Amino acid sequence: VSDPRLSALYDQPVNDYPAMYERAAADSVISDRRASTTILDAAGIHNLEADPDDLSASLVSFYFQAKERALI
């Protein structure tokens, strides 16, 4: 489940040092999540990244796609 607060921290204007550190931390976490997804995909492990509000719909869609491709 992705954290919408990360996007908010990343998108906020950088007007001072605390905001700069918050953006850097958010960028680090976002980059780590992307790298993890790439590694999982390369290993053939299916994963889903979705905002909490969209998780149910995304999971159902992901399930039907997997079932359609006979992955489950």
Side-chain angles (χ1 to χ4, degrees):
V1 177
S2 62
D3 188 347
R5 294 175 296 179
L6 285 175
S7 296
L9 286 173
Y10 185 81
D11 293 337
Q12 75 181 358
V14 177
N15 298 324
D16 54 15
Y17 287 117
M20 180 182 67
Y21 289 121
E22 288 173 347
R23 179 181 255 180
D27 182 57
S28 178
V29 172
I30 291 168
S31 295
D32 287 348
R33 290 180 77 106
R34 285 186 188 138
S36 297
T37 297
T38 301
I39 291 167
L40 290 171
D41 287 343
I45 300 170
H46 303 282
N47 59 82
L48 174 68
E49 182 77 20
D51 288 333
D53 293 339
D54 300 328
L55 183 60
S56 295
S58 295
L59 187 57
V60 169
S61 177
F62 187 80
Y63 169 78
F64 284 126
Q65 288 173 3
K67 191 170 182 172
E68 183 178 278
R69 291 186 261 162
L71 298 174
I72 53 174

